[in-house]
Amino acid sequence: MSTKKKRVGILISGRGSNMMSLIAAAKAVDYPAEIACVLSSRPEAEGLLKAAGAGVPTQAIDHRRFKERSAFEAELDAALRASAVEFVACAGFMRLMTPAFVESWRDRMLNIHPSLLPAFPGLDTHTRALAAGVKLTGCTVHVVRPEVDSGPIIAQAAVPVLDGDTPESLGARVLEAEHRLYPHALALFASGRVRIAGEKVPGPQVPINQEKALFWPPFS
Ligand code: GRF
């Protein structure tokens, strides 16, 4: 395990609550990553002010300035490299990426998605989870591959769906889990404890010391 903190660039487009959970976690002396910069595809993203307030260098790269996706990505890439970023963490980054950009960060770029992938990739996950009647949903941190919301799964958290849930109430419950899952997954990744084999992440090889399954509804 490497002891030097990995430099992480976070990509956002909006409110940046997951970004803040990573920034907060990275303040711990023994956290294996430091947040080198936050880049936003939207200058008006709330997350930019939050990151700056937390002392993290920020930059807005307005995607609307570019005709070609590749030109936008070239600027993004240059900003990441200028900050000597080693790993990229997407946190509510709402731009589709070209395969070339994704490949240039292969096995060095993570994303968080608000469902238990491969269920419900794409947008409106909570509305679709409610429509499907699933009893458990959750969130996933995965390594980014060119196909949207796909790639080796590093970590997941499951959350119960409650009677009377709305997309908002369910989304809030999942978001709480996201804020715990992403720092955990990034720590595993940055400390070199994530190995990708055949597009899967094997493990963990640890004894289970808690309830082995989440049953929903509960037995009583
Ligand atoms: C989160 O639900 C994340 O899973 C998804 O976009 C949302 C971003 O929220 N990719 P925030 O900007 O981190 O608050």
Side-chain angles (χ1 to χ4, degrees):
M1 228 181 281
S2 150
T3 50
K4 197 174 156 292
K5 285 178 183 264
K6 295 287 183 199
R7 291 179 65 78
V8 173
I10 304 179
L11 304 185
I12 64 165
S13 299
R15 114 196 112 173
S17 70
N18 277 289
M19 170 205 78
M20 284 308 286
S21 76
L22 296 179
I23 291 173
K27 285 199 196 312
V29 279
D30 59 347
Y31 196 78
E34 60 185 311
I35 309 306
C37 65
V38 167
L39 306 179
S40 173
S41 61
R42 292 171 60 244
E44 63 276 29
E46 285 167 59
L48 279 174
L49 284 178
K50 295 182 191 165
V56 177
T58 63
Q59 192 179 333
I61 302 177
D62 191 343
H63 68 94
R64 289 161 293 200
R65 281 202 288 117
F66 303 87
K67 268 211 217 83
E68 302 291 334
R69 199 179 293 278
S70 56
F72 165 66
E73 290 174 346
E75 201 153 311
L76 208 58
D77 196 70
L80 291 168
R81 292 181 198 281
S83 292
V85 162
E86 299 167 276
F87 295 138
V88 177
C90 302
F93 184 65
M94 300 303 286
R95 304 309 302 162
L96 292 175
M97 294 170 178
T98 64
F101 181 75
V102 173
E103 286 304 329
S104 73
W105 287 94
R106 188 177 177 84
D107 295 346
R108 294 184 299 149
M109 180 153 59
L110 309 185
N111 181 44
I112 187 156
H113 182 76
S115 75
L116 291 173
L117 289 173
F120 311 121
L123 299 174
D124 302 321
T125 52
H126 308 307
T127 304
R128 289 188 288 139
L130 289 172
V134 295
K135 296 293 182 201
L136 293 169
T137 183
C139 49
T140 302
V141 176
H142 64 97
V143 181
V144 177
R145 292 289 184 255
E147 206 177 312
V148 173
D149 299 327
S150 75
I153 292 172
I154 298 172
Q156 295 186 303
V159 162
V161 178
L162 305 185
D163 212 13
D165 258 336
T166 61
E168 291 70 33
S169 64
L170 181 57
R173 195 172 309 121
V174 171
L175 193 64
E176 262 189 66
E178 292 185 46
H179 294 163
R180 294 176 64 195
L181 187 71
Y182 211 174
H184 175 46
L186 179 63
L188 292 173
F189 195 74
S191 61
R193 282 177 286 169
V194 169
R195 184 170 61 83
I196 302 167
E199 291 303 271
K200 289 184 194 158
V201 176
Q205 300 298 335
V206 289
I208 299 174
N209 59 5
Q210 58 202 30
E211 184 75 74
K212 292 184 183 61
L214 172 58
F215 295 91
W216 203 259
F219 287 100
S220 57

